[in-house]
Amino acid sequence: MGEITNVMEYQAIAKQKLPKMAYDYYASGAEDEWTLKENREAFSRILFRPRILIDVSKIDMTTSVLGFKISMPIMVAPTAMQKMAHPDGEYATARAASAAGTIMTLSSWATSSVEEVASTGPGIRFFQLYVHKDRKVVEQLVRRAERAGFKAIALTVDTPRLGRREADIKNRFVLPPHLTLKNFEGLDLGKMDQANDSGLASYVAGQIDRTLSWKDVKWLQSITSMPILVKGVVTAEDARLAVHSGAAGIIVSNHGARQLDYVPATISALEEVVKAAQGRIPVYLDGGVRRGTDVFKALALGAAGIFVGRPVVFALAAEGEAGVRNVLRMLRDEFELTMALSGCTTLADINRSHVLTEGDRLRPTPRL
C-alpha cells in the first residue's frame, strides 16, 4: 500500500478488508443509487471564482457549533455499527475526532454505548436519535446521552421506514452475532421477539415510529435541555417548519442516499434550505463530502459546517483510529489550501461570490 493521498483511497482498501456484507452495508445506497452518485457528482459541477493578491500567510479555520468551539467546520456524521468495520469501532472514531478538535456524532445504532464512548476521554459529542414507538425507550436513551455528557441531539427525521437497499437484501444483512446495538442493552424494551435470527438489530429497526411529526420535536424539547438539530431536511418548506418548531439547527441530509432515491444531492438542496432558514438557525451539510474543496463549496453556499460519514468508516476499516485521524487531517489540510488559493483567511471571508453553480452559469453574466 503506497501513501494515502486522499480520503477516497480508503474505500478500495476497506472493500478488500471487509466481508462483503459489511462493506456493502456501509457503501450502498437506495434502489438505483442515483442519489448516491449524485451526492458526489453535484460537487464536481460547482466551480471556483478565486480572489488573488490577498495575504493568506495566516489562516483561521476555527468555528463554533451551537456555542462549542471546534478547530474546523468538519465534523463526524453518525454512522451505525462501527465495530463491523474495526474492533475498536466508535471508540477509535471518538478518540480521533477529539484529537482533531472536532465533534463526533454517535449513532443510536452504535456498537458502543454512550457511556463507553464518553469513557474514551474528553470531546464534544452529539447523539443521533431515531424516535421509537415506545417513548419510554426514547426518554431512556436521551437521558443516558445527557448524563454521559453529550451536548446535542441530531434527530433523524427522514426515516419513517428504512429505505430499500438492495445490496443488503441480496446479502441478507444481519449484525454479526458477536456485536450488539449497545445503547439498547439494559433498556426496558417491553416485549421483544427473540425468535428472529438478527434479534435486537431487526427489533430496533422495526420499532421506528412512522407517526413521527413536528409535534414530536416539541415533545423532545420537553424531556431534554440539549439543543436539537433536525437531520434530514432537503426543502425550503421543511426548513421553515424546522425553524418554527424551535430546532437549534438543520442538517441538510438525504441519509447518505440510503432512503429515498432520486432526491437531490445535499449540496444541490443546500442553498434552498439556507435561504428559507433566513439566518435564524445554522444550517449544516451532510453527504458526499470527500475533499477540502467540497467543504469550501458548502460553506460558500451557506453551510455553517459539514459532517462526513463514509470516509470515516472506510478509514476505520483500513487503519483503525489512525485512519480516522488521517481522514480528518487530510480534509483539514485540503480545506486550508482551498481557502488560501481562494483568497480567504477566515471562514467569514468565504461567501457566495467565491463559487459558480450550474444555475449561475445558465443566467446571463451581469455587467460589472
Side-chain angles (χ1 to χ4, degrees):
M1 183 171 86
E3 189 184 348
I4 301 276
T5 55
N6 66 71
V7 307
M8 288 164 285
E9 292 176 3
Y10 278 118
Q11 184 162 353
I13 301 165
K15 190 171 186 178
Q16 288 174 333
K17 279 196 153 184
L18 290 174
K20 181 172 165 49
M21 183 177 77
Y23 173 79
D24 285 355
Y25 174 79
Y26 294 134
S28 64
E31 296 185 352
D32 300 329
E33 299 189 332
W34 182 87
T35 299
L36 184 69
K37 291 191 273 290
E38 183 66 4
N39 265 358
R40 280 294 310 127
E41 288 173 6
F43 276 107
S44 71
R45 298 192 294 270
I46 299 168
L47 307 179
F48 289 124
R49 299 181 70 250
R51 302 302 305 275
I52 54 167
L53 295 175
I54 292 165
D55 177 354
V56 290
S57 55
K58 289 190 181 70
I59 287 184
D60 179 10
M61 290 180 285
T62 60
T63 188
S64 79
V65 172
L66 304 183
F68 299 101
K69 197 154 194 227
I70 55 175
S71 68
M72 58 181 175
I74 300 164
M75 298 167 278
V76 176
T79 48
M81 310 177 197
Q82 291 182 12
K83 282 188 180 176
M84 278 200 313
H86 188 278
D88 294 344
E90 292 86 1
Y91 292 82
T93 303
R95 287 192 293 257
S98 180
T102 194
I103 292 164
M104 173 199 183
T105 317
L106 181 72
S107 169
S108 58
W109 293 3
T111 37
S112 312
S113 68
V114 287
E115 293 85 1
E116 287 170 336
V117 167
S119 78
T120 63
I124 305 158
R125 302 187 180 110
F126 293 173
F127 182 65
Q128 176 271 332
L129 180 71
Y130 292 109
V131 173
H132 292 257
K133 292 171 190 168
D134 185 344
R135 291 295 194 269
K136 288 194 190 71
V137 169
V138 181
E139 284 189 47
Q140 290 173 83
L141 283 172
V142 168
R143 298 228 159 94
R144 278 176 53 200
E146 205 159 10
R147 274 201 304 275
F150 283 65
K151 300 301 183 194
I153 295 284
L155 174 66
T156 296
V157 294
D158 58 5
T159 315
R161 294 172 59 178
L162 286 186
R164 184 177 169 83
R165 302 158 200 170
E166 292 176 4
D168 290 348
I169 297 168
K170 281 193 171 69
N171 294 332
R172 295 196 161 89
F173 175 80
V174 289
L175 187 61
H178 66 288
L179 298 175
T180 186
L181 300 185
K182 280 284 196 171
N183 286 315
F184 293 89
E185 279 194 337
L187 290 190
D188 175 12
L189 293 171
K191 288 191 182 66
M192 180 175 141
D193 177 16
Q194 293 283 7
N196 193 306
D197 63 352
S198 56
L200 186 64
S202 63
Y203 169 81
V204 166
Q207 290 302 301
I208 296 176
D209 192 348
R210 295 182 188 184
T211 72
L212 186 69
S213 69
W214 288 105
K215 70 180 186 316
D216 296 300
V217 178
K218 295 266 187 236
W219 170 76
L220 204 51
Q221 287 164 335
S222 76
I223 65 162
T224 182
S225 58
M226 287 185 284
I228 294 159
L229 295 164
V230 177
K231 178 177 181 286
V233 174
V234 291
T235 65
E237 295 90 330
D238 285 335
R240 285 189 281 271
L241 288 168
V243 171
H244 185 68
S245 75
I250 288 168
I251 302 174
V252 175
S253 172
N254 53 35
H255 212 104
R258 295 162 71 77
Q259 283 299 105
L260 180 63
D261 201 10
Y262 297 98
V263 294
T266 49
I267 193 68
S268 305
L270 175 63
E271 208 165 12
E272 173 182 326
V273 172
V274 167
K275 281 178 179 159
Q278 294 182 318
R280 286 176 292 185
I281 56 174
V283 175
Y284 303 96
L285 177 124
D286 163 69
V289 173
R290 299 292 182 272
R291 285 277 190 193
T293 48
D294 299 337
V295 180
F296 187 100
K297 289 170 183 180
L299 267 61
L301 293 175
I306 66 93
F307 289 87
V308 63
R310 283 188 179 92
V312 166
V313 176
F314 293 142
L316 180 66
E319 294 181 338
E321 184 183 333
V324 182
R325 283 179 181 239
N326 201 30
V327 155
L328 294 172
R329 182 191 58 76
M330 285 190 289
L331 288 173
R332 179 195 173 90
D333 290 351
E334 288 177 4
F335 177 55
E336 185 177 29
L337 180 61
T338 308
M339 284 180 69
L341 295 179
S342 297
C344 297
T345 61
T346 68
L347 302 190
D349 293 339
I350 303 171
N351 62 52
R352 187 63 176 79
S353 74
H354 287 105
V355 292
L356 200 61
T357 64
E358 280 182 293
D360 299 333
R361 297 201 291 279
L362 292 172
R363 284 190 282 275
T365 310
R367 281 214 172 94
L368 298 176

PDB file of all heavy atoms in Angstrom, residues 127-146:
ATOM      1  N   PHE A 127     -25.498  13.224  19.907  1.00  0.00           N
ATOM      2  CA  PHE A 127     -26.139  11.901  19.865  1.00  0.00           C
ATOM      3  C   PHE A 127     -27.231  11.904  18.805  1.00  0.00           C
ATOM      4  O   PHE A 127     -28.147  12.727  18.837  1.00  0.00           O
ATOM      5  CB  PHE A 127     -26.740  11.559  21.235  1.00  0.00           C
ATOM      6  CG  PHE A 127     -27.378  10.198  21.303  1.00  0.00           C
ATOM      7  CD1 PHE A 127     -26.615   9.044  21.157  1.00  0.00           C
ATOM      8  CD2 PHE A 127     -28.749  10.069  21.519  1.00  0.00           C
ATOM      9  CE1 PHE A 127     -27.202   7.780  21.222  1.00  0.00           C
ATOM     10  CE2 PHE A 127     -29.346   8.804  21.585  1.00  0.00           C
ATOM     11  CZ  PHE A 127     -28.571   7.662  21.429  1.00  0.00           C
ATOM     12  N   GLN A 128     -27.105  10.992  17.837  1.00  0.00           N
ATOM     13  CA  GLN A 128     -28.114  10.864  16.778  1.00  0.00           C
ATOM     14  C   GLN A 128     -29.251   9.995  17.301  1.00  0.00           C
ATOM     15  O   GLN A 128     -29.022   8.947  17.912  1.00  0.00           O
ATOM     16  CB  GLN A 128     -27.488  10.242  15.529  1.00  0.00           C
ATOM     17  CG  GLN A 128     -28.465   9.975  14.398  1.00  0.00           C
ATOM     18  CD  GLN A 128     -29.105   8.609  14.480  1.00  0.00           C
ATOM     19  OE1 GLN A 128     -28.523   7.674  15.022  1.00  0.00           O
ATOM     20  NE2 GLN A 128     -30.300   8.471  13.944  1.00  0.00           N
ATOM     21  N   LEU A 129     -30.481  10.427  17.045  1.00  0.00           N
ATOM     22  CA  LEU A 129     -31.641   9.749  17.619  1.00  0.00           C
ATOM     23  C   LEU A 129     -32.680   9.410  16.561  1.00  0.00           C
ATOM     24  O   LEU A 129     -33.038  10.254  15.735  1.00  0.00           O
ATOM     25  CB  LEU A 129     -32.269  10.678  18.673  1.00  0.00           C
ATOM     26  CG  LEU A 129     -33.511  10.159  19.409  1.00  0.00           C
ATOM     27  CD1 LEU A 129     -33.147   9.041  20.377  1.00  0.00           C
ATOM     28  CD2 LEU A 129     -34.189  11.304  20.163  1.00  0.00           C
ATOM     29  N   TYR A 130     -33.156   8.149  16.616  1.00  0.00           N
ATOM     30  CA  TYR A 130     -34.400   7.784  15.928  1.00  0.00           C
ATOM     31  C   TYR A 130     -35.487   7.767  17.002  1.00  0.00           C
ATOM     32  O   TYR A 130     -35.232   7.330  18.123  1.00  0.00           O
ATOM     33  CB  TYR A 130     -34.309   6.380  15.327  1.00  0.00           C
ATOM     34  CG  TYR A 130     -33.347   6.239  14.180  1.00  0.00           C
ATOM     35  CD1 TYR A 130     -32.151   5.539  14.336  1.00  0.00           C
ATOM     36  CD2 TYR A 130     -33.637   6.773  12.928  1.00  0.00           C
ATOM     37  CE1 TYR A 130     -31.255   5.397  13.280  1.00  0.00           C
ATOM     38  CE2 TYR A 130     -32.758   6.637  11.866  1.00  0.00           C
ATOM     39  CZ  TYR A 130     -31.574   5.938  12.053  1.00  0.00           C
ATOM     40  OH  TYR A 130     -30.701   5.802  11.005  1.00  0.00           O
ATOM     41  N   VAL A 131     -36.682   8.221  16.669  1.00  0.00           N
ATOM     42  CA  VAL A 131     -37.767   8.160  17.637  1.00  0.00           C
ATOM     43  C   VAL A 131     -38.495   6.822  17.483  1.00  0.00           C
ATOM     44  O   VAL A 131     -38.954   6.471  16.393  1.00  0.00           O
ATOM     45  CB  VAL A 131     -38.739   9.346  17.485  1.00  0.00           C
ATOM     46  CG1 VAL A 131     -39.958   9.166  18.389  1.00  0.00           C
ATOM     47  CG2 VAL A 131     -38.020  10.644  17.841  1.00  0.00           C
ATOM     48  N   HIS A 132     -38.566   6.105  18.582  1.00  0.00           N
ATOM     49  CA  HIS A 132     -39.202   4.782  18.591  1.00  0.00           C
ATOM     50  C   HIS A 132     -40.650   4.881  19.048  1.00  0.00           C
ATOM     51  O   HIS A 132     -41.050   5.854  19.685  1.00  0.00           O
ATOM     52  CB  HIS A 132     -38.394   3.841  19.503  1.00  0.00           C
ATOM     53  CG  HIS A 132     -37.053   3.538  18.930  1.00  0.00           C
ATOM     54  ND1 HIS A 132     -36.752   2.351  18.309  1.00  0.00           N
ATOM     55  CD2 HIS A 132     -35.932   4.296  18.840  1.00  0.00           C
ATOM     56  CE1 HIS A 132     -35.506   2.389  17.863  1.00  0.00           C
ATOM     57  NE2 HIS A 132     -34.993   3.556  18.177  1.00  0.00           N
ATOM     58  N   LYS A 133     -41.408   3.832  18.698  1.00  0.00           N
ATOM     59  CA  LYS A 133     -42.835   3.815  19.053  1.00  0.00           C
ATOM     60  C   LYS A 133     -43.009   3.971  20.560  1.00  0.00           C
ATOM     61  O   LYS A 133     -43.916   4.663  21.011  1.00  0.00           O
ATOM     62  CB  LYS A 133     -43.462   2.494  18.584  1.00  0.00           C
ATOM     63  CG  LYS A 133     -43.538   2.359  17.069  1.00  0.00           C
ATOM     64  CD  LYS A 133     -43.967   0.947  16.685  1.00  0.00           C
ATOM     65  CE  LYS A 133     -43.822   0.725  15.187  1.00  0.00           C
ATOM     66  NZ  LYS A 133     -43.953  -0.698  14.819  1.00  0.00           N
ATOM     67  N   ASP A 134     -42.150   3.301  21.302  1.00  0.00           N
ATOM     68  CA  ASP A 134     -42.225   3.377  22.760  1.00  0.00           C
ATOM     69  C   ASP A 134     -41.428   4.595  23.229  1.00  0.00           C
ATOM     70  O   ASP A 134     -40.201   4.589  23.243  1.00  0.00           O
ATOM     71  CB  ASP A 134     -41.657   2.085  23.367  1.00  0.00           C
ATOM     72  CG  ASP A 134     -41.802   2.044  24.883  1.00  0.00           C
ATOM     73  OD1 ASP A 134     -42.054   3.111  25.482  1.00  0.00           O
ATOM     74  OD2 ASP A 134     -41.638   0.956  25.457  1.00  0.00           O
ATOM     75  N   ARG A 135     -42.154   5.645  23.622  1.00  0.00           N
ATOM     76  CA  ARG A 135     -41.481   6.889  24.000  1.00  0.00           C
ATOM     77  C   ARG A 135     -40.627   6.728  25.262  1.00  0.00           C
ATOM     78  O   ARG A 135     -39.701   7.500  25.493  1.00  0.00           O
ATOM     79  CB  ARG A 135     -42.510   8.010  24.199  1.00  0.00           C
ATOM     80  CG  ARG A 135     -43.193   8.463  22.909  1.00  0.00           C
ATOM     81  CD  ARG A 135     -42.184   9.104  21.947  1.00  0.00           C
ATOM     82  NE  ARG A 135     -42.838   9.831  20.879  1.00  0.00           N
ATOM     83  CZ  ARG A 135     -43.179   9.326  19.708  1.00  0.00           C
ATOM     84  NH1 ARG A 135     -42.930   8.064  19.436  1.00  0.00           N
ATOM     85  NH2 ARG A 135     -43.760  10.074  18.782  1.00  0.00           N
ATOM     86  N   LYS A 136     -40.942   5.711  26.070  1.00  0.00           N
ATOM     87  CA  LYS A 136     -40.116   5.478  27.276  1.00  0.00           C
ATOM     88  C   LYS A 136     -38.696   5.084  26.876  1.00  0.00           C
ATOM     89  O   LYS A 136     -37.729   5.465  27.522  1.00  0.00           O
ATOM     90  CB  LYS A 136     -40.740   4.384  28.153  1.00  0.00           C
ATOM     91  CG  LYS A 136     -41.996   4.811  28.887  1.00  0.00           C
ATOM     92  CD  LYS A 136     -42.349   3.796  29.979  1.00  0.00           C
ATOM     93  CE  LYS A 136     -43.731   4.074  30.556  1.00  0.00           C
ATOM     94  NZ  LYS A 136     -44.807   3.736  29.593  1.00  0.00           N
ATOM     95  N   VAL A 137     -38.578   4.324  25.783  1.00  0.00           N
ATOM     96  CA  VAL A 137     -37.258   3.943  25.266  1.00  0.00           C
ATOM     97  C   VAL A 137     -36.497   5.193  24.830  1.00  0.00           C
ATOM     98  O   VAL A 137     -35.312   5.364  25.144  1.00  0.00           O
ATOM     99  CB  VAL A 137     -37.396   2.940  24.093  1.00  0.00           C
ATOM    100  CG1 VAL A 137     -36.071   2.745  23.360  1.00  0.00           C
ATOM    101  CG2 VAL A 137     -37.924   1.604  24.599  1.00  0.00           C
ATOM    102  N   VAL A 138     -37.189   6.097  24.131  1.00  0.00           N
ATOM    103  CA  VAL A 138     -36.568   7.345  23.675  1.00  0.00           C
ATOM    104  C   VAL A 138     -36.091   8.160  24.880  1.00  0.00           C
ATOM    105  O   VAL A 138     -34.964   8.660  24.898  1.00  0.00           O
ATOM    106  CB  VAL A 138     -37.549   8.179  22.819  1.00  0.00           C
ATOM    107  CG1 VAL A 138     -36.897   9.463  22.337  1.00  0.00           C
ATOM    108  CG2 VAL A 138     -38.044   7.362  21.628  1.00  0.00           C
ATOM    109  N   GLU A 139     -36.958   8.280  25.896  1.00  0.00           N
ATOM    110  CA  GLU A 139     -36.581   9.037  27.093  1.00  0.00           C
ATOM    111  C   GLU A 139     -35.351   8.442  27.760  1.00  0.00           C
ATOM    112  O   GLU A 139     -34.443   9.175  28.166  1.00  0.00           O
ATOM    113  CB  GLU A 139     -37.749   9.072  28.094  1.00  0.00           C
ATOM    114  CG  GLU A 139     -38.843  10.039  27.694  1.00  0.00           C
ATOM    115  CD  GLU A 139     -39.877  10.239  28.793  1.00  0.00           C
ATOM    116  OE1 GLU A 139     -39.470  10.453  29.956  1.00  0.00           O
ATOM    117  OE2 GLU A 139     -41.077  10.185  28.479  1.00  0.00           O
ATOM    118  N   GLN A 140     -35.309   7.111  27.855  1.00  0.00           N
ATOM    119  CA  GLN A 140     -34.147   6.456  28.473  1.00  0.00           C
ATOM    120  C   GLN A 140     -32.863   6.768  27.686  1.00  0.00           C
ATOM    121  O   GLN A 140     -31.832   7.091  28.271  1.00  0.00           O
ATOM    122  CB  GLN A 140     -34.363   4.936  28.535  1.00  0.00           C
ATOM    123  CG  GLN A 140     -35.435   4.484  29.520  1.00  0.00           C
ATOM    124  CD  GLN A 140     -35.700   2.979  29.375  1.00  0.00           C
ATOM    125  OE1 GLN A 140     -34.983   2.158  29.925  1.00  0.00           O
ATOM    126  NE2 GLN A 140     -36.729   2.623  28.615  1.00  0.00           N
ATOM    127  N   LEU A 141     -32.943   6.683  26.360  1.00  0.00           N
ATOM    128  CA  LEU A 141     -31.768   6.953  25.514  1.00  0.00           C
ATOM    129  C   LEU A 141     -31.283   8.392  25.683  1.00  0.00           C
ATOM    130  O   LEU A 141     -30.091   8.651  25.861  1.00  0.00           O
ATOM    131  CB  LEU A 141     -32.104   6.711  24.040  1.00  0.00           C
ATOM    132  CG  LEU A 141     -32.161   5.268  23.554  1.00  0.00           C
ATOM    133  CD1 LEU A 141     -32.706   5.219  22.129  1.00  0.00           C
ATOM    134  CD2 LEU A 141     -30.784   4.608  23.608  1.00  0.00           C
ATOM    135  N   VAL A 142     -32.235   9.331  25.617  1.00  0.00           N
ATOM    136  CA  VAL A 142     -31.890  10.760  25.687  1.00  0.00           C
ATOM    137  C   VAL A 142     -31.274  11.091  27.050  1.00  0.00           C
ATOM    138  O   VAL A 142     -30.257  11.784  27.134  1.00  0.00           O
ATOM    139  CB  VAL A 142     -33.134  11.631  25.398  1.00  0.00           C
ATOM    140  CG1 VAL A 142     -32.881  13.089  25.745  1.00  0.00           C
ATOM    141  CG2 VAL A 142     -33.528  11.496  23.922  1.00  0.00           C
ATOM    142  N   ARG A 143     -31.868  10.570  28.113  1.00  0.00           N
ATOM    143  CA  ARG A 143     -31.350  10.867  29.461  1.00  0.00           C
ATOM    144  C   ARG A 143     -29.959  10.281  29.649  1.00  0.00           C
ATOM    145  O   ARG A 143     -29.085  10.899  30.265  1.00  0.00           O
ATOM    146  CB  ARG A 143     -32.315  10.308  30.525  1.00  0.00           C
ATOM    147  CG  ARG A 143     -33.683  10.976  30.406  1.00  0.00           C
ATOM    148  CD  ARG A 143     -34.222  11.472  31.747  1.00  0.00           C
ATOM    149  NE  ARG A 143     -35.242  12.501  31.495  1.00  0.00           N
ATOM    150  CZ  ARG A 143     -36.554  12.269  31.421  1.00  0.00           C
ATOM    151  NH1 ARG A 143     -37.002  11.042  31.595  1.00  0.00           N
ATOM    152  NH2 ARG A 143     -37.391  13.262  31.180  1.00  0.00           N
ATOM    153  N   ARG A 144     -29.746   9.075  29.102  1.00  0.00           N
ATOM    154  CA  ARG A 144     -28.410   8.467  29.208  1.00  0.00           C
ATOM    155  C   ARG A 144     -27.375   9.282  28.443  1.00  0.00           C
ATOM    156  O   ARG A 144     -26.259   9.482  28.923  1.00  0.00           O
ATOM    157  CB  ARG A 144     -28.436   7.021  28.705  1.00  0.00           C
ATOM    158  CG  ARG A 144     -28.936   6.049  29.766  1.00  0.00           C
ATOM    159  CD  ARG A 144     -29.040   4.646  29.237  1.00  0.00           C
ATOM    160  NE  ARG A 144     -27.815   4.182  28.617  1.00  0.00           N
ATOM    161  CZ  ARG A 144     -27.760   3.157  27.753  1.00  0.00           C
ATOM    162  NH1 ARG A 144     -28.864   2.524  27.407  1.00  0.00           N
ATOM    163  NH2 ARG A 144     -26.612   2.782  27.236  1.00  0.00           N
ATOM    164  N   ALA A 145     -27.741   9.736  27.256  1.00  0.00           N
ATOM    165  CA  ALA A 145     -26.806  10.558  26.463  1.00  0.00           C
ATOM    166  C   ALA A 145     -26.462  11.834  27.232  1.00  0.00           C
ATOM    167  O   ALA A 145     -25.291  12.237  27.304  1.00  0.00           O
ATOM    168  CB  ALA A 145     -27.409  10.879  25.101  1.00  0.00           C
ATOM    169  N   GLU A 146     -27.479  12.444  27.814  1.00  0.00           N
ATOM    170  CA  GLU A 146     -27.275  13.682  28.568  1.00  0.00           C
ATOM    171  C   GLU A 146     -26.358  13.429  29.770  1.00  0.00           C
ATOM    172  O   GLU A 146     -25.407  14.187  30.006  1.00  0.00           O
ATOM    173  CB  GLU A 146     -28.637  14.217  29.036  1.00  0.00           C
ATOM    174  CG  GLU A 146     -28.659  15.704  29.271  1.00  0.00           C
ATOM    175  CD  GLU A 146     -30.074  16.297  29.229  1.00  0.00           C
ATOM    176  OE1 GLU A 146     -31.070  15.539  29.209  1.00  0.00           O
ATOM    177  OE2 GLU A 146     -30.163  17.523  29.200  1.00  0.00           O
TER     178      GLU A 146
END
